[in-house]
Amino acid sequence: MAGRRSGLQQQVINFYRECFREARKKPVEARPRFHAYIRREFRAHNIRKNDFVTIEYMLRRGKKQLETYSNPSIQDIHL
């Protein structure tokens, strides 16, 4: 049986899912690039799971990026 997730872990998982939901609103041909970008950004940082300050900072930073990329005028992302 898997252990329970902390509130912060659940926030990160929910944010990850939210990013992919927003990517579904982009043109079909651009979605793979958005998906690759999302995965790369989440894997790029080797943060210890008990480094709460950094995790909270990265969540705030990520939400600002998501807000930017959610703009309907942004149709594609270049990696």
Side-chain angles (χ1 to χ4, degrees):
M1 181 173 138
R4 290 185 46 140
R5 294 187 180 110
S6 72
L8 192 55
Q9 286 173 321
Q10 195 60 52
Q11 283 180 40
V12 171
I13 291 167
N14 290 342
F15 178 60
Y16 186 77
R17 290 176 179 157
E18 183 181 357
C19 291
F20 278 93
R21 279 193 297 275
E22 285 299 320
R24 279 187 285 210
K25 297 176 183 177
K26 301 301 178 182
V28 173
E29 61 277 0
R31 289 179 194 169
R33 288 183 291 279
F34 276 98
H35 293 168
Y37 176 77
I38 293 164
R39 288 185 188 103
R40 189 183 77 208
E41 286 297 306
F42 270 85
R43 291 180 179 147
H45 308 284
N46 189 15
I47 302 170
R48 293 183 326 276
K49 65 181 178 180
N50 60 350
D51 188 353
F52 305 116
V53 173
T54 303
I55 294 168
E56 289 170 347
Y57 165 76
M58 294 304 292
L59 269 173
R60 285 191 306 275
R61 185 173 156 231
K63 288 181 183 194
K64 286 180 184 177
Q65 283 182 300
L66 179 61
E67 186 178 315
T68 299
Y69 289 121
S70 295
N71 187 326
S73 67
I74 296 178
Q75 296 294 304
D76 203 350
I77 192 167
H78 297 283
L79 302 175

